[in-house]
Amino acid sequence: MNTEAPYLDSLNPEQKAAVLQTDGPVMIIAGAGSGKTRVLTYRIAHLIASGVDAFNILSLTFTNKAAKEMRNRIESVAGPEARNIWMGTFHSVFAKILRIEAHKIGYQSNFTIYDSDDSKSLIKAIVKEMNLDDKIYKPNFVLSRISNAKNNLIQAHVYKKNAELVSYDETTGRGKIFEIYQEYANRCFKASAMDFDDLLLNTFKLLNNFPEVLNKYQHKFKYVMVDEYQDTNHCQYMIVKKLASVFENICVVGDDAQSIYSFRGATIRNILNFEIDYPDLKVFKLEQNYRSSETIVSAANSVIAKNKDQLEKKVWTANDSGEKIKVLRAVTDNEEGKLIAQDIFETKMTAQKMNSDFAILYRTNSQSRSMEEALRKLNVPYRIYGGLSFYQRKEIKDLIAYLRIVINPSDEQALKRIINYPARGIGNTSMQRVAVLASETGQSHWEIVSNAHQYPELKAAIAKFRDFVNMIKSFAILVPTQNAYDLAMHIARSVKLLKVLNEDKTVEGVSKYENMVELLNGIKEFAEDDTNESEKDLGSYLQDIALLTDADRVDDDNDHVSLMTIHQSKGLEYKKVYVTGLEENLFPSQMSLGSRSDLEEERRLFYVAITRAEEDLVLSFATSRFRFGTLLPCEPSRFIDEIDPEFLQLERRSTLTSTKQTLGNIDRRSSDMNPPSGLRKTIAKQNQPKMIRPPASSNFEAESMHDIAEGMQVEHQRFGTGTVTKLEGNAAPEKATINFTDFGEKTLVLKFAKLKKV
């Protein structure tokens, strides 16, 4: 083969060796930032340059974007012949095969592909037809069970014979799932429709049940390449193994340290055990990181070294050492958002950075709330990736709609949104009649609904309308006497929004429930923020939140800070990255602490987060976080301890002051500190927040504003004891600046502060 191609000159020795090894089984272990895409591109280009017919090359990726970028890059090297490569995602390539071969398994070639909404809608209809409880057989949960079965090659007629699966379903009170699965499969087949999992399962069925089809594609795809191999599930593994079994010219590329999708059915064993299937395997390790500073690379290595299940490698870089990784401690999650937004603002000014140089990563979508609010208040443009802005998510809009209609019953959009959610038997037909009557009479929808007994057209729904109106009026009575949080929590519980979301235990359902809790946490922060001069009632909160979500303020410019979950950040890179919420039970997730394999996946997720950063990395945590209106203490994540302390620098900042320390000087009283386990111990000694729940015997009453004076020792419910350093006001003091022992200086509005003399 010709090895003098000019494109080979840009490769390092290990990259070049991987490109030139075109025949036989090959595994390329590509560390973070090691130029994996370049190797994939040049390897395929080299195959074509060496005389391999592009039609005989199969290249499987995990995103359409990656496939498109790779094809364009290959074409720039190998010319238009690159257009003939079978390249795309597993689903797109297999759908192409199924269009050709579907008749063999009884499908039409023009079969429909159902998206998740189609699937859920069908499952919902089946559950209803079977007279099953849709609160038990939720579409999300049922679809998740069916998807998991398909990914493990368990078809509907086999599912019911699997004692373990059926036993689990019966134990959870869902013993009819196998019947739903069977009916779902029948209805899809009758409609000539496949869901996304069917595209994989039916391809396997074709190859497994029809030898002539298997033989055809085995000889067509003489060279098979699979990107992100660590993210494949069992079904994908079996298909790839079958296709490559004749020539065994199979090349898989991946990084076991970045295997983070087990919740989607991916299994790390596919890459860890690859050599078992191919004993004559040639392994190439791309260990030079071109992306990150030496400090970041070394820190990432020190973390991932704690995992037992991994392929041996040592990622290194020739880049400069760079800045130490900053560890940012915040008092609450709300302050965490403020500190990060403030740091972005300051860094932009001092280092001349673009907004697009920054990314904020979090473990769960619900954490974006405090980040969004803080960025908006500093007018820093941002964009949420992989999901809607926090306040645009359905579950958030649902509760806010209830709050809006309590304040303003004439709010037509809010009324239409929640009048039958959660379901209370008021259907579309009734609401269409309400809309007609409102148009004819010139009245608001609320007025029509409130007087439904006057309209014969609404006779069937009179009682249901009356109950709804009475419920909203009962909430409105409480507006003058309750703060925003107390009333919002009362409404959320009364209308059963929390209950409905809490009963859905799927990944999506848990996320929605967490988002709802996070919204209530934000309202609690608003109601108890002494530095906020506005009133604490519901109307003031809605005005405040309306300014944050004003659609006219959406910035369409590409220069924005990126916000996303760590899962969504995989494959991306930024100059400066903030990894937030590094607290036990949040990251690592509480659900991951039951087994070593789950904890190791969380550690791999942390590794992915660290390695997104090119120049600067900030790790942040809160020492307390709101949950159901109570400020609960938080312990810093074990993952911080797992980074070699020589790479860390603790930032002692607040929204008012900022100081820095290296870890060696965090606490001079603690001479016996022995990192890495010492960081959490040291932090635990320092600045622990006073809980906002005072002892039962305490009675915090506001002192007379005329009695307070500079130099006075006072006590605050949340910030503890402190000394008054400054008073502001005209006839009488209105604000006080207080230097708190544990929290530093805070400026409080005396009207709301409820200070107590010590």
Side-chain angles (χ1 to χ4, degrees):
M1 290 188 174
N2 173 24
T3 61
E4 304 303 320
Y7 54 81
L8 296 176
D9 296 338
S10 63
L11 302 174
N12 66 36
E14 194 70 7
Q15 291 174 331
K16 183 175 180 179
V19 167
L20 295 178
Q21 183 61 52
T22 56
D23 295 332
V26 172
M27 179 164 65
I28 302 173
I29 304 301
S34 62
K36 175 194 71 172
T37 303
R38 174 176 299 213
V39 171
L40 276 169
T41 300
Y42 289 173
R43 194 173 192 276
I44 295 175
H46 190 67
L47 282 170
I48 295 173
S50 302
V52 175
D53 189 337
F55 284 101
N56 294 142
I57 300 173
L58 172 63
S59 179
L60 298 169
T61 64
F62 267 81
T63 68
N64 290 309
K65 179 183 177 183
K68 183 177 180 180
E69 289 177 353
M70 278 186 59
R71 189 184 296 276
N72 290 338
R73 291 174 68 169
I74 294 168
E75 188 171 348
S76 69
V77 176
E81 184 67 14
R83 301 172 189 174
N84 298 326
I85 302 167
W86 278 58
M87 175 180 285
T89 65
F90 279 87
H91 294 93
S92 65
V93 170
F94 294 168
K96 186 176 179 180
I97 292 174
L98 286 166
R99 294 289 182 200
I100 299 170
E101 312 291 349
H103 63 279
K104 289 185 171 62
I105 55 174
Y107 278 84
Q108 300 174 17
S109 61
N110 63 342
F111 61 84
T112 298
I113 298 176
Y114 277 171
D115 62 19
S116 60
D117 286 340
D118 296 320
S119 296
K120 291 172 190 175
S121 179
L122 177 55
I123 288 171
K124 186 175 181 180
I126 292 171
V127 168
K128 184 177 181 180
E129 292 166 14
M130 293 175 65
N131 294 315
L132 298 175
D133 190 339
D134 60 3
K135 294 182 177 61
I136 296 175
Y137 293 94
K138 293 179 179 293
N140 283 339
F141 182 87
V142 175
L143 184 59
S144 177
R145 292 289 286 169
I146 293 174
S147 176
N148 185 62
K150 290 179 178 179
N151 287 336
N152 285 285
L153 302 177
I154 300 172
Q155 299 177 51
H157 67 278
V158 177
Y159 189 104
K160 65 181 179 182
K161 298 176 183 177
N162 188 307
E164 183 179 350
L165 292 174
V166 173
S167 175
Y168 175 83
D169 291 338
E170 291 175 346
T171 301
T172 60
R174 300 179 177 91
K176 297 290 186 181
I177 281 185
F178 77 91
E179 292 184 25
I180 300 173
Y181 183 7
Q182 184 68 65
E183 182 61 16
Y184 174 78
N186 291 340
R187 297 273 279 272
C188 284
F189 182 76
K190 188 182 295 184
S192 194
M194 299 185 198
D195 62 22
F196 270 51
D197 296 312
D198 286 328
L199 296 176
L200 305 181
L201 179 60
N202 286 334
T203 298
F204 174 80
K205 286 167 64 177
L206 268 172
L207 302 179
N208 192 59
N209 299 342
F210 298 89
E212 72 279 10
V213 175
L214 176 60
N215 182 68
K216 172 182 175 180
Y217 290 99
Q218 284 174 334
H219 286 82
K220 179 176 183 59
F221 302 133
K222 295 178 180 178
Y223 291 85
V224 178
M225 294 185 64
V226 185
D227 191 13
E228 303 287 5
Y229 190 68
Q230 77 278 352
D231 294 332
T232 53
N233 61 37
H234 181 63
C235 184
Q236 290 164 326
Y237 159 79
M238 289 298 296
I239 293 171
V240 170
K241 186 178 179 182
K242 282 181 175 294
L243 288 174
S245 62
V246 172
F247 296 100
E248 290 197 346
N249 293 325
I250 179 171
C251 174
V252 300
V253 185
D255 181 6
D256 58 294
Q258 298 184 65
S259 177
I260 58 173
Y261 292 116
S262 65
F263 66 93
R264 294 181 185 171
T267 171
I268 193 174
R269 291 294 158 193
N270 289 347
I271 195 168
L272 295 180
N273 298 337
F274 192 68
E275 192 168 3
I276 296 175
D277 290 333
Y278 304 96
D280 57 342
L281 176 71
K282 290 184 171 59
V283 179
F284 300 91
K285 297 180 181 179
L286 309 184
E287 297 173 304
Q288 182 175 1
N289 181 300
Y290 293 92
R291 174 190 300 153
S292 305
S293 69
E294 185 180 25
T295 294
I296 292 170
V297 170
S298 299
N301 285 342
S302 68
V303 168
I304 204 62
K306 307 296 189 297
N307 272 10
K308 290 186 176 181
D309 286 337
Q310 60 177 307
L311 298 169
E312 183 181 350
K313 61 181 175 298
K314 180 67 174 179
V315 179
W316 62 278
T317 185
N319 295 339
D320 293 339
S321 59
E323 297 291 326
K324 285 194 173 187
I325 297 169
K326 297 174 180 61
V327 180
L328 190 63
R329 176 183 56 232
V331 177
T332 66
D333 48 341
N334 200 43
E335 187 183 47
E336 181 185 36
K338 291 178 181 178
L339 290 174
I340 289 173
Q342 184 182 70
D343 190 65
I344 290 174
F345 187 85
E346 291 174 358
T347 304
K348 283 173 57 182
M349 297 299 105
T350 59
Q352 301 299 303
K353 297 288 187 183
M354 303 286 287
N355 292 310
S356 56
D357 291 331
F358 301 91
I360 301 174
L361 310 182
Y362 33 78
R363 181 62 180 84
T364 65
N365 278 311
S366 62
Q367 291 170 253
S368 75
R369 189 268 308 167
S370 60
M371 305 297 161
E372 290 188 68
E373 290 183 0
L375 290 170
R376 280 185 178 271
K377 286 175 181 176
L378 289 179
N379 291 317
V380 176
Y382 68 89
R383 184 170 297 170
I384 298 282
Y385 284 84
L388 297 171
S389 169
F390 183 84
Y391 293 100
Q392 292 302 310
R393 292 164 185 155
K394 178 187 180 301
E395 59 275 16
I396 302 304
K397 291 172 71 70
D398 289 336
L399 179 53
I400 289 177
Y402 270 103
L403 306 184
R404 282 165 47 186
I405 201 169
V406 168
I407 298 300
N408 175 22
S410 295
D411 189 329
E412 179 181 325
Q413 294 304 312
L415 175 66
K416 289 165 67 175
R417 184 177 188 90
I418 51 87
I419 195 166
N420 197 42
Y421 182 77
R424 52 178 59 90
I426 301 175
N428 290 334
T429 301
S430 294
M431 289 309 298
Q432 288 168 2
R433 289 171 180 164
V434 168
V436 171
L437 288 168
S439 177
E440 291 176 347
T441 63
Q443 298 184 80
S444 69
H445 283 55
W446 173 259
E447 290 173 312
I448 300 295
V449 168
S450 298
N451 298 286
H453 59 281
Q454 298 179 6
Y455 304 99
E457 300 94 326
L458 303 178
K459 180 179 180 181
I462 288 176
K464 293 163 185 172
F465 280 139
R466 182 180 63 244
D467 292 343
F468 175 79
V469 169
N470 289 340
M471 178 182 69
I472 298 300
K473 286 182 176 179
S474 73
F475 297 153
I477 291 173
L478 302 176
V479 170
T481 60
Q482 293 195 356
N483 66 32
Y485 170 76
D486 291 337
L487 185 51
M489 177 59 82
H490 173 67
I491 292 170
R493 286 174 172 162
S494 298
V495 303
K496 296 184 170 53
L497 284 180
L498 284 170
K499 182 175 184 294
V500 168
L501 295 178
N502 190 38
E503 288 175 345
D504 186 352
K505 301 302 183 183
T506 65
V507 173
E508 183 181 355
V510 170
S511 177
K512 288 184 176 182
Y513 179 73
E514 290 175 345
N515 289 340
M516 182 70 73
V517 171
E518 185 64 15
L519 175 64
L520 292 166
N521 290 342
I523 301 175
K524 180 70 170 182
E525 290 270 4
F526 172 87
E528 299 201 351
D529 185 2
D530 296 329
T531 63
N532 184 352
E533 294 189 43
S534 65
E535 297 293 333
K536 311 303 177 187
D537 62 280
L538 188 58
S540 298
Y541 172 77
L542 289 173
Q543 177 176 304
D544 189 72
I545 214 70
L547 295 174
L548 291 177
T549 58
D550 186 353
D552 294 333
R553 292 180 58 189
V554 174
D555 193 327
D556 292 328
D557 187 76
N558 288 327
D559 185 31
H560 55 263
V561 175
S562 298
L563 277 68
M564 67 191 78
T565 65
I566 301 168
H567 282 98
Q568 290 152 357
S569 74
K570 191 162 174 288
L572 303 177
E573 56 189 48
Y574 298 89
K575 291 285 193 299
K576 187 167 186 176
V577 170
Y578 300 83
V579 184
T580 65
L582 276 163
E583 300 142 28
E584 286 292 294
N585 299 322
L586 179 56
F587 194 19
S589 166
Q590 186 173 16
M591 292 186 291
S592 73
L593 303 181
S595 70
R596 176 176 296 280
S597 62
D598 289 344
L599 180 58
E600 291 201 349
E601 175 148 335
E602 285 287 289
R603 188 176 287 114
R604 293 193 294 270
L605 188 63
F606 184 47
Y607 176 85
V608 167
I610 293 174
T611 55
R612 298 313 94 199
E614 297 176 8
E615 299 173 359
D616 291 293
L617 177 64
V618 177
L619 310 177
S620 71
F621 65 91
T623 55
S624 60
R625 199 170 281 270
F626 272 103
R627 187 159 184 83
F628 283 114
T630 301
L631 192 66
L632 299 177
C634 300
E635 182 182 359
S637 171
R638 68 188 71 190
F639 292 155
I640 301 178
D641 276 349
E642 292 178 355
I643 297 177
D644 192 317
E646 71 173 288
F647 305 123
L648 300 177
Q649 173 178 290
L650 182 67
E651 290 268 307
R652 299 192 65 182
R653 296 170 63 101
S654 76
T655 49
L656 297 176
T657 61
S658 173
T659 60
K660 297 180 180 179
Q661 298 185 44
T662 60
L663 286 185
N665 294 320
I666 291 178
D667 184 5
R668 299 187 180 187
R669 297 168 298 169
S670 179
S671 59
D672 62 341
M673 187 179 75
N674 184 26
S677 61
L679 178 58
R680 285 194 287 165
K681 186 187 300 181
T682 301
I683 291 169
K685 291 181 180 181
Q686 301 182 59
N687 295 344
Q688 283 298 308
K690 297 283 191 297
M691 295 303 98
I692 64 171
R693 298 166 293 163
S697 59
S698 297
N699 183 20
F700 280 85
E701 296 293 342
E703 295 290 330
S704 169
M705 295 302 100
H706 299 286
D707 293 339
I708 197 165
E710 292 183 5
M712 180 180 290
Q713 295 287 308
V714 295
E715 185 174 0
H716 182 269
Q717 285 180 265
R718 176 170 167 187
F719 302 126
T721 58
T723 303
V724 179
T725 60
K726 182 181 178 182
L727 294 173
E728 300 176 46
N730 296 322
E734 297 173 357
K735 294 182 181 179
T737 299
I738 304 170
N739 187 8
F740 289 102
T741 303
D742 289 334
F743 291 88
E745 282 194 338
K746 302 283 183 183
T747 299
L748 306 181
V749 180
L750 292 175
K751 178 180 178 181
F752 304 115
K754 294 187 178 181
L755 296 173
K756 181 181 179 182
K757 290 180 183 177
V758 175

